[in-house]
Amino acid sequence: MFQCSLILVLALLCAQHLSAQDQPGGKLSGYVMGDYFYKLNGDSTGTGSQYSSGRKDDQAFQLRRLYLIYDHTISDKFAAQFLLEGNDKTFTDGKHGVFVKTAYLEWKEFLTNHSFFIGLVPTPTWSTLTERLWNYRSIEKTILDFRGLGIPSDIGMQLRGRSDARGSISYVVMVGNGTGQRPENNRYKKYYASLCAKPIEPFVLEAYADFEPTGSEKHVLTLRGFAAYQSEHFTAGIEVFQQRHHNQPLQGRDKTPFGLSTFAWGDIAGNLRAFGRFDLFDPDAKLANVGFREFFVTTGIDYMPVKDVHFMPNVWMNFFADKSPARRSQQADIVARLSFFYYYR
């Protein structure tokens, strides 16, 4: 009921804005992504990925993400955004629901070449660079997001700055609750920092870290590096991260997830583009002989009949390798999909 009321209020505010000619400008936009999928291989033992709990030969149509975004220009210096998201994990009474993803105020040019944000703000964990250059969130999340090791937005304050208009060097620093869209439940805060450089065109480099105390002598530290080559018709990138859970409560020891992701996409001809990605993920690199390493692979073709409309036949695969001497087997999850993605703006 609350969600329906929230949508109604947003629609009324937009309608009021459109009818008032003397008000500052606003814009309503969004996008939808979904698939038809068929699970070719795998069992339902479950490892946390979106298809791991499904059985072989399962098939369905699904909506994986829905965005409704309202951007409002208050003045030359101030702007605001309100974003509702629905996804394949957001359900109310068994039906698709929505939640507030961002709700922030931006003070543009707070200082020269700097902007200040406050509210429910996108974090720099992947939202500001890696997801944009990967360009295929409609196929899969970036590796930290995919493995559930970060949050896309957080309630707090953020400062974004750049060295010049070109942005040869830029940075983001932020302090937030560390609970994402949920209310704060302790006195600790999460600290984020990202430094991006463009040494020469068309290369982009980024160093990222976040730190979150979680209790007495306990904390989570994330370190990530990213490099990409970006041009109009071809982009390739590589991302490496390690996260340290110091004094993890249940095991009483450190846990260190590690991951590497590399991707590339490029135009083939006209309105066709090819893309591919390979990930290596170890849920705990400190345990050399326990658990499974995971290898994610996806590849496909992007057909764009018009701008902002994409049809993408692709294959989604997640493989497992036992780290122990026993060399136990775990069935790979292999899924064939016809994905679709469209903007409205």
mmCIF file of all heavy atoms in Angstrom, residues 129-140 142 235 263 265 273 302 304 310 312 341 343:
data_model
loop_
_atom_site.group_PDB
_atom_site.id
_atom_site.type_symbol
_atom_site.label_atom_id
_atom_site.label_comp_id
_atom_site.label_asym_id
_atom_site.label_seq_id
_atom_site.Cartn_x
_atom_site.Cartn_y
_atom_site.Cartn_z
ATOM 1 N N LEU A 129 31.750 4.589 -12.248
ATOM 2 C CA LEU A 129 32.654 4.340 -13.374
ATOM 3 C C LEU A 129 32.538 2.934 -13.943
ATOM 4 O O LEU A 129 32.228 2.762 -15.124
ATOM 5 C CB LEU A 129 34.108 4.609 -12.970
ATOM 6 C CG LEU A 129 35.152 4.461 -14.084
ATOM 7 C CD1 LEU A 129 34.926 5.490 -15.176
ATOM 8 C CD2 LEU A 129 36.566 4.568 -13.538
ATOM 9 N N THR A 130 32.794 1.895 -13.143
ATOM 10 C CA THR A 130 32.925 0.541 -13.685
ATOM 11 C C THR A 130 31.639 0.055 -14.346
ATOM 12 O O THR A 130 31.678 -0.544 -15.421
ATOM 13 C CB THR A 130 33.362 -0.451 -12.587
ATOM 14 O OG1 THR A 130 32.454 -0.360 -11.483
ATOM 15 C CG2 THR A 130 34.758 -0.149 -12.114
ATOM 16 N N GLU A 131 30.495 0.301 -13.727
ATOM 17 C CA GLU A 131 29.238 -0.142 -14.325
ATOM 18 C C GLU A 131 28.980 0.574 -15.651
ATOM 19 O O GLU A 131 28.489 -0.013 -16.613
ATOM 20 C CB GLU A 131 28.078 0.090 -13.355
ATOM 21 C CG GLU A 131 26.760 -0.496 -13.832
ATOM 22 C CD GLU A 131 25.673 -0.415 -12.781
ATOM 23 O OE1 GLU A 131 24.957 0.607 -12.745
ATOM 24 O OE2 GLU A 131 25.536 -1.371 -11.991
ATOM 25 N N ARG A 132 29.336 1.861 -15.703
ATOM 26 C CA ARG A 132 29.120 2.639 -16.926
ATOM 27 C C ARG A 132 29.998 2.122 -18.066
ATOM 28 O O ARG A 132 29.539 1.996 -19.202
ATOM 29 C CB ARG A 132 29.400 4.121 -16.645
ATOM 30 C CG ARG A 132 29.296 5.013 -17.865
ATOM 31 C CD ARG A 132 29.348 6.471 -17.459
ATOM 32 N NE ARG A 132 30.551 6.808 -16.723
ATOM 33 C CZ ARG A 132 31.711 7.117 -17.281
ATOM 34 N NH1 ARG A 132 31.845 7.109 -18.603
ATOM 35 N NH2 ARG A 132 32.752 7.437 -16.535
ATOM 36 N N LEU A 133 31.274 1.798 -17.792
ATOM 37 C CA LEU A 133 32.152 1.334 -18.855
ATOM 38 C C LEU A 133 31.882 -0.128 -19.234
ATOM 39 O O LEU A 133 32.032 -0.511 -20.399
ATOM 40 C CB LEU A 133 33.609 1.528 -18.460
ATOM 41 C CG LEU A 133 34.068 2.986 -18.343
ATOM 42 C CD1 LEU A 133 35.551 3.069 -18.065
ATOM 43 C CD2 LEU A 133 33.740 3.773 -19.606
ATOM 44 N N TRP A 134 31.501 -0.955 -18.286
ATOM 45 C CA TRP A 134 31.068 -2.310 -18.615
ATOM 46 C C TRP A 134 29.872 -2.227 -19.568
ATOM 47 O O TRP A 134 29.788 -2.970 -20.545
ATOM 48 C CB TRP A 134 30.744 -3.090 -17.359
ATOM 49 C CG TRP A 134 29.823 -4.259 -17.468
ATOM 50 C CD1 TRP A 134 28.755 -4.532 -16.668
ATOM 51 C CD2 TRP A 134 29.894 -5.382 -18.378
ATOM 52 N NE1 TRP A 134 28.134 -5.715 -17.020
ATOM 53 C CE2 TRP A 134 28.821 -6.255 -18.076
ATOM 54 C CE3 TRP A 134 30.736 -5.715 -19.434
ATOM 55 C CZ2 TRP A 134 28.565 -7.441 -18.785
ATOM 56 C CZ3 TRP A 134 30.486 -6.888 -20.146
ATOM 57 C CH2 TRP A 134 29.430 -7.743 -19.821
ATOM 58 N N ASN A 135 28.939 -1.329 -19.304
ATOM 59 C CA ASN A 135 27.895 -0.964 -20.270
ATOM 60 C C ASN A 135 26.798 -2.016 -20.421
ATOM 61 O O ASN A 135 25.836 -1.797 -21.152
ATOM 62 C CB ASN A 135 28.516 -0.670 -21.650
ATOM 63 C CG ASN A 135 27.589 0.088 -22.574
ATOM 64 O OD1 ASN A 135 26.940 1.040 -22.161
ATOM 65 N ND2 ASN A 135 27.517 -0.332 -23.824
ATOM 66 N N TYR A 136 26.947 -3.150 -19.738
ATOM 67 C CA TYR A 136 25.964 -4.213 -19.902
ATOM 68 C C TYR A 136 25.423 -4.704 -18.555
ATOM 69 O O TYR A 136 25.362 -5.900 -18.296
ATOM 70 C CB TYR A 136 26.537 -5.364 -20.743
ATOM 71 C CG TYR A 136 26.499 -5.020 -22.208
ATOM 72 C CD1 TYR A 136 27.616 -4.481 -22.842
ATOM 73 C CD2 TYR A 136 25.328 -5.158 -22.934
ATOM 74 C CE1 TYR A 136 27.562 -4.111 -24.175
ATOM 75 C CE2 TYR A 136 25.264 -4.789 -24.266
ATOM 76 C CZ TYR A 136 26.377 -4.268 -24.882
ATOM 77 O OH TYR A 136 26.309 -3.891 -26.207
ATOM 78 N N ARG A 137 25.016 -3.734 -17.745
ATOM 79 C CA ARG A 137 24.286 -4.087 -16.521
ATOM 80 C C ARG A 137 23.014 -4.870 -16.871
ATOM 81 O O ARG A 137 22.515 -5.676 -16.077
ATOM 82 C CB ARG A 137 23.935 -2.809 -15.746
ATOM 83 C CG ARG A 137 22.990 -3.001 -14.559
ATOM 84 C CD ARG A 137 23.563 -3.942 -13.533
ATOM 85 N NE ARG A 137 22.627 -4.187 -12.448
ATOM 86 C CZ ARG A 137 21.651 -5.087 -12.487
ATOM 87 N NH1 ARG A 137 21.484 -5.844 -13.565
ATOM 88 N NH2 ARG A 137 20.848 -5.267 -11.450
ATOM 89 N N SER A 138 22.501 -4.653 -18.067
ATOM 90 C CA SER A 138 21.327 -5.389 -18.533
ATOM 91 C C SER A 138 21.612 -6.884 -18.695
ATOM 92 O O SER A 138 20.682 -7.699 -18.728
ATOM 93 C CB SER A 138 20.846 -4.819 -19.867
ATOM 94 O OG SER A 138 21.917 -4.729 -20.795
ATOM 95 N N ILE A 139 22.890 -7.260 -18.770
ATOM 96 C CA ILE A 139 23.277 -8.664 -18.844
ATOM 97 C C ILE A 139 23.663 -9.185 -17.464
ATOM 98 O O ILE A 139 23.188 -10.223 -17.027
ATOM 99 C CB ILE A 139 24.443 -8.854 -19.832
ATOM 100 C CG1 ILE A 139 23.999 -8.465 -21.244
ATOM 101 C CG2 ILE A 139 24.963 -10.289 -19.800
ATOM 102 C CD1 ILE A 139 22.849 -9.310 -21.793
ATOM 103 N N GLU A 140 24.528 -8.465 -16.752
ATOM 104 C CA GLU A 140 24.914 -8.859 -15.394
ATOM 105 C C GLU A 140 25.526 -7.678 -14.656
ATOM 106 O O GLU A 140 26.070 -6.761 -15.267
ATOM 107 C CB GLU A 140 25.900 -10.032 -15.423
ATOM 108 C CG GLU A 140 26.181 -10.661 -14.065
ATOM 109 C CD GLU A 140 24.906 -10.978 -13.296
ATOM 110 O OE1 GLU A 140 24.310 -12.039 -13.561
ATOM 111 O OE2 GLU A 140 24.510 -10.157 -12.435
ATOM 112 N N THR A 142 28.257 -5.711 -12.195
ATOM 113 C CA THR A 142 29.708 -5.787 -12.058
ATOM 114 C C THR A 142 30.043 -6.725 -10.902
ATOM 115 O O THR A 142 29.199 -7.054 -10.067
ATOM 116 C CB THR A 142 30.314 -4.400 -11.823
ATOM 117 O OG1 THR A 142 29.693 -3.813 -10.669
ATOM 118 C CG2 THR A 142 30.092 -3.498 -13.030
ATOM 119 N N THR A 235 35.408 -0.947 -26.218
ATOM 120 C CA THR A 235 35.840 -0.720 -24.834
ATOM 121 C C THR A 235 36.248 -2.048 -24.218
ATOM 122 O O THR A 235 35.584 -3.074 -24.428
ATOM 123 C CB THR A 235 34.719 -0.077 -24.000
ATOM 124 O OG1 THR A 235 34.444 1.238 -24.501
ATOM 125 C CG2 THR A 235 35.116 0.036 -22.535
ATOM 126 N N PHE A 263 36.437 -7.625 -19.276
ATOM 127 C CA PHE A 263 35.344 -7.569 -20.238
ATOM 128 C C PHE A 263 35.781 -6.807 -21.481
ATOM 129 O O PHE A 263 36.774 -6.063 -21.480
ATOM 130 C CB PHE A 263 34.112 -6.882 -19.623
ATOM 131 C CG PHE A 263 34.316 -5.419 -19.309
ATOM 132 C CD1 PHE A 263 34.143 -4.437 -20.287
ATOM 133 C CD2 PHE A 263 34.689 -5.012 -18.037
ATOM 134 C CE1 PHE A 263 34.344 -3.096 -20.002
ATOM 135 C CE2 PHE A 263 34.883 -3.669 -17.744
ATOM 136 C CZ PHE A 263 34.717 -2.705 -18.738
ATOM 137 N N TRP A 265 33.654 -5.085 -25.209
ATOM 138 C CA TRP A 265 32.525 -5.001 -26.135
ATOM 139 C C TRP A 265 32.925 -4.099 -27.300
ATOM 140 O O TRP A 265 33.753 -3.204 -27.140
ATOM 141 C CB TRP A 265 31.245 -4.502 -25.455
ATOM 142 C CG TRP A 265 31.327 -3.160 -24.778
ATOM 143 C CD1 TRP A 265 31.542 -2.920 -23.453
ATOM 144 C CD2 TRP A 265 31.177 -1.870 -25.397
ATOM 145 N NE1 TRP A 265 31.537 -1.572 -23.203
ATOM 146 C CE2 TRP A 265 31.310 -0.895 -24.377
ATOM 147 C CE3 TRP A 265 30.940 -1.450 -26.710
ATOM 148 C CZ2 TRP A 265 31.225 0.467 -24.637
ATOM 149 C CZ3 TRP A 265 30.853 -0.083 -26.968
ATOM 150 C CH2 TRP A 265 30.992 0.854 -25.928
ATOM 151 N N ARG A 273 26.423 -5.259 -32.072
ATOM 152 C CA ARG A 273 27.594 -5.165 -31.203
ATOM 153 C C ARG A 273 27.780 -6.506 -30.511
ATOM 154 O O ARG A 273 26.812 -7.199 -30.182
ATOM 155 C CB ARG A 273 27.375 -4.056 -30.165
ATOM 156 C CG ARG A 273 28.501 -3.875 -29.174
ATOM 157 C CD ARG A 273 28.142 -2.797 -28.167
ATOM 158 N NE ARG A 273 28.102 -1.473 -28.781
ATOM 159 C CZ ARG A 273 27.513 -0.408 -28.234
ATOM 160 N NH1 ARG A 273 26.891 -0.520 -27.073
ATOM 161 N NH2 ARG A 273 27.535 0.753 -28.840
ATOM 162 N N ASP A 302 24.392 -7.815 -29.222
ATOM 163 C CA ASP A 302 23.464 -6.732 -28.917
ATOM 164 C C ASP A 302 22.923 -6.167 -30.234
ATOM 165 O O ASP A 302 23.669 -5.585 -31.023
ATOM 166 C CB ASP A 302 24.194 -5.642 -28.128
ATOM 167 C CG ASP A 302 23.278 -4.491 -27.716
ATOM 168 O OD1 ASP A 302 22.072 -4.552 -27.999
ATOM 169 O OD2 ASP A 302 23.799 -3.525 -27.107
ATOM 170 N N MET A 304 20.432 -3.475 -31.874
ATOM 171 C CA MET A 304 19.797 -2.196 -31.545
ATOM 172 C C MET A 304 19.014 -1.692 -32.755
ATOM 173 O O MET A 304 19.566 -0.984 -33.608
ATOM 174 C CB MET A 304 20.867 -1.180 -31.135
ATOM 175 C CG MET A 304 21.658 -1.590 -29.903
ATOM 176 S SD MET A 304 23.221 -0.671 -29.700
ATOM 177 C CE MET A 304 24.273 -1.578 -30.850
ATOM 178 N N HIS A 310 17.285 -2.511 -27.058
ATOM 179 C CA HIS A 310 18.298 -3.554 -27.224
ATOM 180 C C HIS A 310 17.660 -4.939 -27.084
ATOM 181 O O HIS A 310 16.918 -5.186 -26.129
ATOM 182 C CB HIS A 310 19.390 -3.424 -26.151
ATOM 183 C CG HIS A 310 20.082 -2.100 -26.135
ATOM 184 N ND1 HIS A 310 21.357 -1.929 -26.630
ATOM 185 C CD2 HIS A 310 19.686 -0.880 -25.681
ATOM 186 C CE1 HIS A 310 21.714 -0.665 -26.483
ATOM 187 N NE2 HIS A 310 20.723 -0.014 -25.908
ATOM 188 N N MET A 312 19.183 -8.860 -26.926
ATOM 189 C CA MET A 312 20.521 -9.416 -26.708
ATOM 190 C C MET A 312 20.477 -10.919 -26.446
ATOM 191 O O MET A 312 20.359 -11.344 -25.293
ATOM 192 C CB MET A 312 21.175 -8.688 -25.522
ATOM 193 C CG MET A 312 21.351 -7.209 -25.744
ATOM 194 S SD MET A 312 21.741 -6.282 -24.216
ATOM 195 C CE MET A 312 20.163 -6.388 -23.344
ATOM 196 N N PHE A 341 16.222 -4.752 -23.258
ATOM 197 C CA PHE A 341 16.546 -3.569 -22.455
ATOM 198 C C PHE A 341 16.096 -2.342 -23.217
ATOM 199 O O PHE A 341 16.417 -2.199 -24.405
ATOM 200 C CB PHE A 341 18.064 -3.544 -22.201
ATOM 201 C CG PHE A 341 18.575 -2.335 -21.477
ATOM 202 C CD1 PHE A 341 17.924 -1.815 -20.378
ATOM 203 C CD2 PHE A 341 19.757 -1.718 -21.897
ATOM 204 C CE1 PHE A 341 18.416 -0.713 -19.702
ATOM 205 C CE2 PHE A 341 20.262 -0.611 -21.229
ATOM 206 C CZ PHE A 341 19.597 -0.115 -20.126
ATOM 207 N N TYR A 343 15.196 2.115 -22.764
ATOM 208 C CA TYR A 343 15.061 3.353 -22.008
ATOM 209 C C TYR A 343 13.758 4.043 -22.381
ATOM 210 O O TYR A 343 13.252 3.881 -23.492
ATOM 211 C CB TYR A 343 16.175 4.324 -22.379
ATOM 212 C CG TYR A 343 17.548 4.007 -21.841
ATOM 213 C CD1 TYR A 343 18.471 3.312 -22.628
ATOM 214 C CD2 TYR A 343 17.932 4.432 -20.582
ATOM 215 C CE1 TYR A 343 19.738 3.030 -22.149
ATOM 216 C CE2 TYR A 343 19.218 4.167 -20.097
ATOM 217 C CZ TYR A 343 20.104 3.461 -20.882
ATOM 218 O OH TYR A 343 21.361 3.201 -20.422
#
